[in-house]
Amino acid sequence: MKVELTHITPRAGETIANIASLSHGNDAARNPKKLLHLLKDLGHDSTFEHITMTFKIEGMSRASFDQLRTHRLASFTARSQRHCDESTSEFVVPNSIKAHDVARDMYLKFLSKSVDFYGFLLRVGIPKEDARYILPIGITTETYVTMNLRELMHIKNLRTAEQAQWEVREVVTEMVKWVCESAPELAFLFEDDKEE
């Protein structure tokens, strides 16, 4: 799995602070860092919606993609199984299956047979959009996803929780890491609140 941040609003923290200053009649924030923390503390998250980011995600299973795309405030463009030939696609193998030799071997054989049969369907003239019905949910895909900062904060809270599925947890953790590296002034927004 590979996650890459392809775009983020420039000067994200300063942009949020300046937008928030408008509500008090100012064109620019005097202390952007302090204002960002105040906005979070007061729950004024709507200002975070003005920051957008786009990620390219490769090698994620269709299973995890289906979970991620339930977040409808994000916009997705994915590789189309209707139009693309999937006969050379790879598979995601969960660690629990990798750790079990017999299960791993059977899993890979089963998935390979389904992709082989998919290729056969294409060779005999079955359209890709119909042949794809045989493809397993563990097959990899790639997607672009664009969202605003507030939505990423929401997704992070849901999809990195302990009960979240491991693969989507890894994808979202990488997305957050990219944003924190590209706009370090926003990193505090993704810190877990600790009770004292």
Side-chain angles (χ1 to χ4, degrees):
M1 179 261 311
K2 179 183 174 189
V3 177
E4 177 186 357
L5 179 66
T6 62
H7 167 78
I8 186 167
T9 303
R11 301 181 325 278
E14 180 184 337
T15 299
I16 293 167
N18 289 341
I19 289 169
S21 294
L22 177 72
S23 65
H24 291 280
N26 299 319
D27 289 332
R30 285 179 281 215
N31 187 336
K33 183 177 179 180
K34 182 178 178 183
L35 183 52
L36 285 173
H37 284 268
L38 182 63
L39 292 168
K40 183 183 181 197
D41 292 345
L42 295 175
H44 293 295
D45 297 344
S46 65
T47 55
F48 301 143
E49 293 175 16
H50 296 280
I51 303 307
T52 60
M53 59 216 65
T54 300
F55 301 91
K56 183 178 185 186
I57 304 168
E58 299 173 280
M60 175 174 43
S61 71
R62 282 280 173 169
S64 288
F65 175 67
D66 286 347
Q67 291 178 57
L68 192 59
R69 75 175 175 187
T70 62
H71 297 281
R72 294 312 311 149
L73 294 181
S75 299
F76 296 88
T77 300
R79 179 180 169 88
S80 172
Q81 288 182 333
R82 247 186 104 200
H83 302 292
C84 297
D85 184 340
E86 299 294 323
S87 55
T88 60
S89 293
E90 296 181 3
F91 314 107
V92 172
V93 182
N95 286 336
S96 61
I97 294 174
K98 279 183 191 173
H100 192 281
D101 292 340
V102 174
R104 182 193 61 239
D105 292 346
M106 290 180 72
Y107 176 85
L108 291 171
K109 278 183 191 173
F110 179 78
L111 294 179
S112 293
K113 284 187 184 290
S114 67
V115 172
D116 289 346
F117 185 62
Y118 168 86
F120 165 79
L121 292 173
L122 295 182
R123 286 190 302 279
V124 298
I126 305 298
K128 291 183 199 93
E129 66 182 14
D130 294 337
R132 68 184 166 155
Y133 281 82
I134 193 66
L135 293 173
I137 201 159
I139 202 163
T140 59
T141 191
E142 56 188 285
T143 185
Y144 279 94
V145 57
T146 300
M147 65 186 70
N148 67 50
L149 179 60
R150 186 180 194 182
E151 183 65 2
L152 182 60
M153 292 163 61
H154 171 70
I155 290 171
K156 184 262 182 195
N157 287 336
L158 293 177
R159 299 299 180 176
T160 62
E162 187 177 318
Q163 65 273 22
Q165 193 254 348
W166 65 271
E167 186 184 8
V168 79
R169 220 174 27 236
E170 287 179 11
V171 167
V172 172
T173 298
E174 283 296 304
M175 293 166 72
V176 168
K177 184 182 108 190
W178 273 102
V179 169
C180 292
E181 288 175 3
S182 298
E185 71 276 18
L186 304 179
F188 79 97
L189 296 170
F190 298 100
E191 293 172 357
D192 294 325
D193 294 326
K194 307 261 192 268
E195 290 187 24
E196 296 179 14

